[in-house]
Amino acid sequence: MATARAGNRMQSSRGVGHTLTPSLGGRDGSVAGPPSPQGPGKGCPHPRWRRDWHTLSCAKISRRLPISRDKLGCRGYGKPGAALPAPAAGEDPGSRPAASEPGSRGSRWFFGCSSAPPGLPPAPRALRWCSSSSSCRSSCDTQPSRSHVFAVFDSCRAMEGPSATKEFCPPDTSESQLSLRNVVQITVVKAQDLKSIKSDTSITLVRVEYNGVILGDSSKADVSPNGMANYNFTTSFEYSTDGPNSWVDIAQKPALLTVIEVLQKEKKQKEEKTMPLGQAVLDLLPLLQGQCSFTVLAPLYAASTSPSESLHPEAKCALEVSVCTKKPLLSSSQLSDGNFLSVTLEAAYSVPEAFVPTGPSQNYMACLQIPALGKKEVPLLFMNGILKLDGEKEPLPRPKKWSLANIMAPGALNIPNSFILGGPYEDEDGELNKTKDREFRIQAESMKRIVWDKERRCYLDPAAVLILKNRIAECQYWPVEVCRMPVTSSSKGKTSKADKGDEDRQIFFHGVAYVNMMPLLCPGVKRIRGAFRVFPYQDSEVLEKTKRQQSVLRDLRPQMGLIKEGSGTPGTNSSLSRAVPSKAQREDKEKMTREQEFNRRTSNTTKIQLSGVAEEAASVTSVSLDGKQYVEAGTFLVMEIKLDKALVPKRLQEELTRRVKEMIPPRPPLPPRTGGAKKAVEDYHNHVASIAVAILSEYHELFGKQLPDQGATDHQTLEEQRHQLNFELNSSGKYFAFKEQLKYAVVKIVREKYLKTTAFETQEQFQAFLSELYVYLVDQMHIALNQLLYEEAASPAPRIRMTDEQLWLFAREAEVNKDYKLASLYHQQRIAQDQHNIQYWLDYGAFCLLLEDTFKAQECFREALSLDPHHVRSLLLCGIVAVMLQHYEEAEIFFEDACCLEPSNVIAWTLSEGVPDGSAKELPEAGEELTLASVAQEEEAPASEAATEEPSPVSGHSKPPCTIFMKAVEFLTEVNAIQFVRMALAHELLSQQGGPSSAYYLALARTCLLKEEFSKCEECLCEAIRIDFLNPDVWAQKGHLCYLRRDLQEAKECYERTVSFVEDAADMHFVYLRLGSIYLEDKEYGKAKQIYLQACKSSASCLTWLGVGIACYRLGEMVEAEDALSEANALNNSNAEVWAYLALVCLQGGRQLEAEQCYKYASKLGLDDSALLQELHAAQQRLGFGDPSL
């Protein structure tokens, strides 16, 4: 110390700033970094060590090699962060004012030495000159009037060393080495509102800690009256893809910022005391999201270890922190093709009765593995679950927490802007989401439970994303292991026998929950959340369900055996957070030791009695007995798995915000035409009036006009005139003309008023109707005698001509809906429009093959061949029909002609080689394909497993190379040659190398669906989905199967998945139609409208516009409903359902005449929807019009 004081005196006499040296301490010129009380390489230097080292440095500064001022890089002068100007010419550096002089108190200057004299090691990265402030006096033990200079590194890592006696070796800071590094730099700018935590806080510093390593402490800063403290402290750590600070660490480990209060030193106290004031957590995830720099205001939470005052509600304690890197941590391709996965473990409910809070401390943990870096899997371990007794259920929403332990500020565990929201049980993706499970779930949530509420995150690189997709497709269930392990107490000295046994201790209550990950392969799905039952962990069962051979917890057992009571997860070690074990903890330690000794004795006894395999079996049985308690108690986990981007992209939903009328193509306006019962009666009145005028004119010609003053004519004269008039009318034919003229009006009344369009069943009904009609006509005749109005006939409506594409679509719709009469009509209309079109005849012939009308199909194909004898497709179809009719010689001629005309036609050669010589009879029967497929699949299983080890880098579903037989299958499926399709599939099955493909199973499923063999179709589709999970055609076909089975909910899920794929299925039109009809049945009218509008945009038809009209009517959008229904009626005016909904729209609009006419046509066309008919009658009764019989 005498040497040190001499050094201080020499420094004081010579001035400051010109004798600094970076290498101080040993005789060889080296300096030993101050050792840490925590051991080598950990923590910051103890104040006593720092004081002695600083004093020794100050003593040697005055007598070691001088360094001129121009060798120093100035970083501060006069105030923190200000520049120190170079001395003027002739100025003595020692003439600068000392730190103790007025105006300079509390000043600090920082020098950065860029070089060193020869023979000396490089200078440290920062040289700090501290003035004689109060904080300096306590650490350096100098007088207030004296200033001293000492050299330290700006990072605590630079001060660390293996021991206090080893020589310090500075890191290589060459440009080549720096270019290979990516350093994450953290700058703590300032703290705000520190007074709200503790009002008498005067001096503080901030400590930065990351991944279990203390990066450094800032210099001491005074707290202003408004609670602000300026630190301007910068530290950093290196990032590497395969080092200690990798993607995995940055994704789930935050930086910990601790604000430490420096207490005033009491009398006779050599060392100053510090106390943690608060902590903040800094999330570094933005660095993995493409940002190179960001600034946040991290909330500062009061430390529970300090007697801090209660925070005011309006207090906003925070640290302003900036983070930056030289370059992005992830490349653009890694950002676009990678993904982020987060797993939130909420709680375990309905836990076994053996879980009690008394006794030894227990660590409740859960773990699962996910691929993160290619094939490398990362375990996500959730520890320190809190056992809670019966009471109120957990609140919602509640914040998610970091997986940190031993943190001094409990509030810092909450992840900002991340909450557990919960939701209805029925909307969850896991188990126990049925209505019958609701009461059990509610009761379990308020009983004994284990709560974690922790979130673990991980970045998945592009290779890991592809592996994740493939593994979910291969096995939908992923294991989440749970267990309970006793917590051992920390102790000094020798390790006890019980602690030694912990290294290979048994995992108690080892259970597993099987999480169904398959929903993540649905297009657009990024999140699954639900409850999952916990079962005993049995290797055979786990291997069968998840195809995993190893237990994650068993692999991590050596690491978990090192966990002691009071220890935390990596990243939370701090000298400030260590606590002395209490008496209760020591008692728990002794109890746990006794329990472990008893278990060890029991295990030793078992080992003596059993040998070899029996010993292992006994161990497994013991574990399974503990795990069975999960099943008895009904334990289940509630957890959430969330992705930043969906594994399977979803089709962008087009916003069809335009009005329906804008989507309808323009058509010529129809002339106004009224009808109905009222109009029929008016027409009858007009005809009666016109006939009366004509008869009166005839009477005047025969007998002249009788004047009023001539008096009344006697009865006999009138009777003679009537007979004469009748004779003239009959003889001239005018009576027959009048009767025919009136007949049309009477027929209209019968049809419009009485709705009689069919023959009567009995003569009595006919006579009764005639009597009623006669009375009504006579009454109306008397009313109409004075009416002389007549309305000219309306002009005929323009005829709407359908295009070829529309007629083909309408025919396909009718075929799928099994309305074969209507489909035949549309095919005939196509031919009528153009009888010389070959394709029209071929399509009609294929339709006849669907109906198994082979002779009519033969006529159609030969008619097409007559139009063009060299048409290859017509030749092939004629040959196929000839084979069906067993005319093999004709078939051979047709196929040979096709091969000669097109030698490169694969389909022609395939059909000609396999069929005409009768070899098809030797092929397997139609029902044997599945059996042969299973045999071939078993034989090729090793090859397929080897092929699936390496994932193929494809984004969509895989498409195997198409063989000649599959090309033939495509052609034969289009023309409905089902018999030939199965023959070709049999050839394909026998020729395949590697097992049947997804296309094979899909084609076979289509044939089974046409034959209504639903069970076989389901088997084929299950195999197709297993092989190619992302094929939209497979999901569309499964939706059709479920729809025909009337399993509408399953069909709805399949159709929604098909629509969500970016790639369209082959029959999207029928997917839209059937999905829309399911939405209408489920009363989801908004979704129905959108899906029908998509169908109208791609391929409009009467049924698509009818769906839009129904959805709009149910939504109360009457104008759009009428527009859509009118367009449907224009495309097909023989659809009774369209007329019925038009009648409902007219009833709602109060248009009586149009409502009656629409209702008349709906009845005439045979409306068979009883519910719709009942709704229509109810509306008519309520409004009082719309039905002519009312």
Side-chain angles (χ1 to χ4, degrees):
M1 294 299 297
T3 307
R5 291 191 182 95
N8 288 339
R9 287 194 298 270
M10 293 177 66
Q11 176 204 8
S12 176
S13 62
R14 294 180 61 183
V16 295
H18 61 290
T19 59
L20 299 178
T21 175
S23 180
L24 303 171
R27 294 182 178 180
D28 54 352
S30 64
V31 68
S36 170
Q38 301 178 1
K42 293 184 180 179
C44 290
H46 191 276
R48 184 172 60 83
W49 284 95
R50 185 171 57 186
R51 181 194 61 191
D52 295 342
W53 186 57
H54 290 175
T55 306
L56 180 63
S57 302
C58 295
K60 295 197 174 186
I61 283 176
S62 59
R63 64 171 184 256
R64 296 304 291 261
L65 297 175
I67 302 176
S68 61
R69 278 293 296 249
D70 56 0
K71 297 290 184 180
L72 298 177
C74 301
R75 292 179 58 187
Y77 175 72
K79 59 181 180 180
L84 178 65
E91 179 185 0
D92 183 13
S95 63
R96 295 272 180 148
S100 59
E101 295 182 13
S104 63
R105 179 175 177 82
S107 302
R108 290 171 174 80
W109 291 275
F110 294 85
F111 300 91
C113 189
S114 59
S115 60
L120 293 178
R125 284 176 289 177
L127 296 175
R128 186 169 59 190
W129 176 17
C130 288
S131 66
S132 300
S133 61
S134 59
S135 59
C136 255
R137 289 196 302 270
S138 61
S139 61
C140 301
D141 196 19
T142 56
Q143 297 297 326
S145 60
R146 301 189 178 232
S147 61
H148 61 279
V149 180
F150 56 88
V152 295
F153 290 106
D154 61 343
S155 174
C156 289
R157 283 186 175 181
M159 298 173 64
E160 296 170 358
S163 65
T165 59
K166 291 187 178 182
E167 181 179 352
F168 167 70
C169 297
D172 186 4
T173 57
S174 61
E175 295 184 0
S176 60
Q177 292 291 331
L178 289 176
S179 62
L180 298 177
R181 301 172 182 172
N182 199 359
V183 178
V184 178
Q185 182 174 314
I186 301 175
T187 301
V188 184
V189 181
K190 60 183 178 180
Q192 299 180 2
D193 204 8
L194 290 178
K195 295 289 186 179
S196 61
I197 298 181
K198 189 176 180 182
S199 58
D200 58 348
T201 302
S202 59
I203 301 175
T204 61
L205 58 90
V206 64
R207 173 172 296 171
V208 182
E209 182 178 352
Y210 183 73
N211 201 8
V213 177
I214 297 178
L215 302 183
D217 289 356
S218 70
S219 60
K220 302 172 187 177
D222 296 332
V223 180
S224 63
N226 60 358
M228 183 176 295
N230 294 320
Y231 299 113
N232 293 321
F233 172 63
T234 300
T235 185
S236 62
F237 65 89
E238 292 183 4
Y239 159 82
S240 59
T241 57
D242 54 354
N245 300 324
S246 62
W247 294 332
V248 179
D249 300 304
I250 292 181
Q252 63 182 347
K253 294 180 181 179
L256 193 61
L257 312 175
T258 306
V259 176
I260 303 173
E261 180 185 11
V262 180
L263 303 177
Q264 293 183 358
K265 186 172 65 174
E266 299 177 358
K267 294 180 179 180
K268 298 182 180 180
Q269 180 180 343
K270 297 182 179 180
E271 300 178 1
E272 59 185 9
K273 292 184 178 180
T274 59
M275 183 180 67
L277 192 64
Q279 278 186 325
V281 173
L282 177 62
D283 191 2
L284 301 179
L285 186 63
L287 296 179
L288 294 179
Q289 295 174 340
Q291 299 185 28
C292 291
S293 63
F294 64 93
T295 302
V296 296
L297 203 62
L300 186 65
Y301 299 92
S304 58
T305 57
S306 63
S308 58
E309 302 175 0
S310 59
L311 294 177
H312 302 290
E314 64 274 6
K316 297 182 179 179
C317 311
L319 290 176
E320 183 180 342
V321 187
S322 298
V323 181
C324 64
T325 57
K326 294 182 179 180
K327 58 182 179 180
L329 301 188
L330 299 177
S331 63
S332 57
S333 61
Q334 289 173 331
L335 280 174
S336 59
D337 299 335
N339 209 333
F340 290 94
L341 182 141
S342 64
V343 179
T344 302
L345 182 60
E346 299 180 15
Y349 296 100
S350 187
V351 297
E353 293 295 333
F355 289 4
V356 292
T358 60
S361 300
Q362 302 290 339
N363 193 344
Y364 301 96
M365 58 186 69
C367 187
L368 75 158
Q369 271 188 330
I370 58 170
L373 303 175
K375 293 184 177 181
K376 180 182 178 181
E377 291 194 345
V378 175
L380 299 182
L381 183 62
F382 297 87
M383 302 175 59
N384 303 321
I386 302 174
L387 178 63
K388 294 188 176 181
L389 301 179
D390 300 353
E392 297 183 359
K393 58 187 300 185
E394 303 300 318
L396 289 175
R398 60 183 185 272
K400 299 179 181 179
K401 298 180 180 180
W402 296 105
S403 295
L404 302 175
N406 288 343
I407 195 167
M408 292 176 291
L413 286 174
N414 299 336
I415 303 177
N417 303 321
S418 185
F419 299 92
I420 297 173
L421 302 178
Y425 302 136
E426 293 77 11
D427 296 342
E428 293 180 351
D429 304 294
E431 308 166 26
L432 299 173
N433 55 0
K434 302 295 187 296
T435 305
K436 62 181 181 180
D437 304 320
R438 181 178 181 84
E439 184 177 354
F440 170 69
R441 292 281 300 272
I442 295 175
Q443 184 179 3
E445 289 178 358
S446 58
M447 296 176 62
K448 185 166 55 176
R449 59 201 180 273
I450 301 172
V451 180
W452 285 277
D453 287 345
K454 295 181 179 180
E455 181 184 66
R456 301 296 297 265
R457 303 180 304 203
C458 187
Y459 167 75
L460 309 180
D461 64 355
V465 172
L466 189 58
I467 291 176
L468 179 64
K469 291 171 58 177
N470 293 337
R471 288 187 180 175
I472 295 177
E474 293 172 1
C475 185
Q476 60 181 346
Y477 293 107
W478 283 45
V480 179
E481 300 180 37
V482 294
C483 74
R484 187 186 78 172
M485 296 186 66
V487 180
T488 59
S489 301
S490 302
S491 61
K492 297 182 179 180
K494 296 183 180 180
T495 305
S496 64
K497 295 182 179 180
D499 293 335
K500 291 180 180 179
D502 291 343
E503 297 178 0
D504 193 22
R505 59 185 175 176
Q506 200 176 53
I507 299 177
F508 297 100
F509 292 94
H510 194 184
V512 60
Y514 300 103
V515 179
N516 186 7
M517 303 280 283
M518 194 62 73
L520 291 179
L521 290 187
C522 297
V525 174
K526 299 186 291 185
R527 172 182 177 267
I528 57 174
R529 179 186 180 273
F532 303 93
R533 295 183 183 272
V534 179
F535 300 92
Y537 189 94
Q538 297 179 357
D539 293 333
S540 58
E541 184 179 358
V542 174
L543 178 61
E544 179 184 357
K545 286 191 174 182
T546 67
K547 298 181 181 180
R548 292 181 182 265
Q549 299 179 354
Q550 296 179 348
S551 168
V552 184
L553 289 177
R554 290 174 187 167
D555 295 341
L556 297 177
R557 183 168 50 186
Q559 301 178 22
M560 294 188 298
L562 300 177
I563 300 173
K564 305 294 182 182
E565 183 179 8
S567 65
T569 57
T572 60
N573 293 333
S574 176
S575 60
L576 298 171
S577 62
R578 292 182 299 174
V580 179
S582 62
K583 180 179 180 181
Q585 292 172 341
R586 289 194 298 269
E587 292 177 355
D588 292 342
K589 166 69 176 180
E590 294 174 359
K591 291 180 181 179
M592 185 178 58
T593 305
R594 289 195 298 268
E595 181 183 356
Q596 291 170 352
E597 183 67 23
F598 174 77
N599 292 335
R600 186 160 37 255
R601 290 176 181 176
T602 306
S603 177
N604 291 335
T605 304
T606 305
K607 291 180 180 179
I608 294 173
Q609 296 175 355
L610 302 175
S611 62
V613 180
E615 177 184 345
E616 183 179 357
S619 176
V620 174
T621 304
S622 175
V623 175
S624 62
L625 288 177
D626 287 343
K628 285 183 179 179
Q629 297 189 31
Y630 290 123
V631 180
E632 296 172 358
T635 307
F636 61 92
L637 294 176
V638 178
M639 60 186 305
E640 177 193 62
I641 299 176
K642 186 169 61 174
L643 292 164
D644 186 58
K645 294 178 289 187
L647 294 178
V648 180
K650 184 177 181 180
R651 180 196 307 268
L652 296 178
Q653 188 71 22
E654 297 183 8
E655 293 293 336
L656 302 176
T657 56
R658 296 177 297 170
R659 289 175 56 87
V660 174
K661 192 172 184 178
E662 297 177 2
M663 298 184 64
I664 299 175
R667 301 185 184 279
L670 298 174
R673 175 181 293 180
T674 59
K678 184 177 180 180
K679 183 64 172 61
V681 173
E682 291 178 357
D683 291 345
Y684 175 74
H685 289 174
N686 294 333
H687 284 83
V688 168
S690 63
I691 292 174
V693 171
I695 294 176
L696 183 61
S697 300
E698 189 69 19
Y699 177 83
H700 289 163
E701 290 181 2
L702 291 176
F703 308 108
K705 293 183 179 181
Q706 185 179 1
L707 300 176
D709 56 356
Q710 292 180 358
T713 307
D714 60 301
H715 178 71
Q716 185 177 359
T717 304
L718 288 177
E719 188 67 21
E720 291 177 356
Q721 290 179 353
R722 185 178 67 84
H723 285 292
Q724 187 177 356
L725 180 60
N726 287 337
F727 176 78
E728 290 295 331
L729 293 176
N730 285 318
S731 60
S732 61
K734 293 180 180 180
Y735 177 80
F736 181 78
F738 292 151
K739 185 176 69 173
E740 290 296 323
Q741 183 179 355
L742 195 60
K743 180 179 178 180
Y744 175 74
V746 175
V747 170
K748 287 184 64 177
I749 289 179
V750 172
R751 291 180 176 179
E752 301 288 345
K753 177 66 178 177
Y754 293 95
L755 302 178
K756 297 296 183 181
T757 58
T758 59
F760 293 92
E761 296 180 357
T762 62
Q763 187 68 21
E764 290 78 8
Q765 293 180 358
F766 179 62
Q767 292 297 330
F769 174 72
L770 287 180
S771 300
E772 181 183 358
L773 178 63
Y774 177 77
V775 173
Y776 179 78
L777 292 177
V778 170
D779 292 340
Q780 294 298 322
M781 179 191 66
H782 289 294
I783 297 174
L785 286 177
N786 293 325
Q787 295 182 1
L788 301 176
L789 298 178
Y790 180 78
E791 185 177 351
E792 295 182 0
S795 58
R799 185 176 180 181
I800 301 176
R801 181 182 177 88
M802 300 296 175
T803 63
D804 167 56
E805 292 79 8
Q806 287 178 320
L807 291 174
W808 167 243
L809 177 63
F810 300 163
R812 286 283 299 135
E813 282 184 347
E815 290 177 17
V816 173
N817 295 330
K818 296 186 178 181
D819 190 353
Y820 299 126
K821 183 178 179 180
L822 182 61
S824 178
L825 178 62
Y826 284 127
H827 281 294
Q828 293 172 5
Q829 287 184 7
R830 294 180 75 201
I831 295 175
Q833 288 185 2
D834 187 1
Q835 297 183 3
H836 299 284
N837 193 305
I838 298 177
Q839 189 61 42
Y840 295 172
W841 287 104
L842 297 181
D843 292 339
Y844 192 24
F847 169 70
C848 295
L849 285 180
L850 180 64
L851 301 181
E852 298 183 353
D853 191 351
T854 310
F855 292 100
K856 196 168 185 178
Q858 185 183 35
E859 294 179 4
C860 294
F861 296 149
R862 291 194 174 186
E863 184 68 26
L865 190 60
S866 66
L867 295 175
D868 185 3
H870 302 291
H871 193 259
V872 176
R873 195 179 183 91
S874 300
L875 288 169
L876 294 176
L877 291 174
C878 287
I880 290 173
V881 173
V883 172
M884 291 180 178
L885 297 176
Q886 298 182 358
H887 300 163
Y888 297 113
E889 295 182 357
E890 294 183 5
E892 185 177 0
I893 295 174
F894 287 126
F895 288 134
E896 287 182 0
D897 288 347
C899 293
C900 292
L901 290 173
E902 270 190 39
S904 61
N905 194 312
V906 176
I907 299 174
W909 284 105
T910 304
L911 295 178
S912 64
E913 288 295 327
V915 177
D917 57 354
S919 61
K921 298 180 181 179
E922 301 175 0
L923 296 176
E925 294 295 331
E928 298 180 4
E929 293 94 336
L930 289 177
T931 306
L932 289 175
S934 61
V935 174
Q937 184 177 352
E938 292 177 359
E939 293 177 354
E940 299 295 336
S944 61
E945 291 178 359
T948 56
E949 289 181 358
E950 294 294 333
S952 56
V954 293
S955 58
H957 65 89
S958 58
K959 291 186 178 180
C962 188
T963 62
I964 59 173
F965 297 110
M966 291 308 298
K967 288 183 177 294
V969 166
E970 293 179 4
F971 168 73
L972 295 171
T973 303
E974 291 178 4
V975 299
N976 299 319
I978 307 302
Q979 178 183 354
F980 278 77
V981 169
R982 293 199 166 183
M983 293 179 182
L985 287 174
H987 276 293
E988 170 70 13
L989 184 61
L990 295 176
S991 64
Q992 281 182 344
Q993 301 294 330
S997 63
S998 176
Y1000 167 83
Y1001 284 114
L1002 180 59
L1004 185 57
R1006 285 172 175 165
T1007 60
C1008 294
L1009 195 62
L1010 288 176
K1011 295 293 184 180
E1012 296 186 356
E1013 299 172 354
F1014 293 150
S1015 59
K1016 291 184 180 180
C1017 179
E1018 185 177 9
E1019 294 177 13
C1020 295
L1021 291 176
C1022 289
E1023 291 297 323
I1025 291 175
R1026 182 188 59 81
I1027 297 174
D1028 192 356
F1029 190 82
L1030 303 180
N1031 192 336
D1033 290 322
V1034 177
W1035 288 104
Q1037 205 66 25
K1038 185 177 181 181
H1040 296 331
L1041 172 64
C1042 297
Y1043 185 86
L1044 295 178
R1045 280 183 165 181
R1046 301 307 297 170
D1047 186 1
L1048 298 184
Q1049 291 304 316
E1050 183 69 19
K1052 175 182 175 182
E1053 295 178 3
C1054 295
Y1055 286 145
E1056 287 177 340
R1057 187 190 294 263
T1058 305
V1059 172
S1060 301
F1061 281 113
V1062 176
E1063 184 180 355
D1064 282 338
D1067 51 354
M1068 285 301 297
H1069 182 77
F1070 303 104
V1071 172
Y1072 287 139
L1073 286 179
R1074 289 176 171 176
L1075 180 58
S1077 66
I1078 295 174
Y1079 282 146
L1080 290 179
E1081 289 192 22
D1082 293 345
K1083 297 183 179 180
E1084 300 181 25
Y1085 303 121
K1087 293 183 179 179
K1089 178 182 176 181
Q1090 292 297 323
I1091 209 71
Y1092 276 122
L1093 283 175
Q1094 287 188 3
C1096 292
K1097 187 176 182 181
S1098 60
S1099 52
S1101 68
C1102 172
L1103 297 182
T1104 60
W1105 283 114
L1106 173 61
V1108 175
I1110 295 174
C1112 293
Y1113 174 77
R1114 299 302 180 190
L1115 292 171
E1117 302 170 356
M1118 295 302 167
V1119 177
E1120 292 189 352
E1122 185 176 0
D1123 293 337
L1125 292 171
S1126 299
E1127 180 64 17
N1129 185 261
L1131 295 176
N1132 182 10
N1133 60 0
S1134 61
N1135 190 305
E1137 194 173 358
V1138 175
W1139 285 110
Y1141 276 101
L1142 280 172
L1144 287 173
V1145 172
C1146 294
L1147 285 173
Q1148 296 296 331
R1151 294 177 287 179
Q1152 178 180 355
L1153 187 62
E1154 296 174 65
E1156 289 182 359
Q1157 186 171 358
C1158 293
Y1159 173 69
K1160 176 198 69 174
Y1161 282 114
S1163 301
K1164 180 180 178 180
L1165 294 171
L1167 179 63
D1168 56 356
D1169 191 342
S1170 59
L1172 179 58
L1173 193 59
Q1174 185 178 359
E1175 180 184 2
L1176 187 56
H1177 287 161
Q1180 293 170 346
Q1181 292 289 341
R1182 185 177 67 255
L1183 299 175
F1185 63 89
D1187 188 353
S1189 61
L1190 294 177

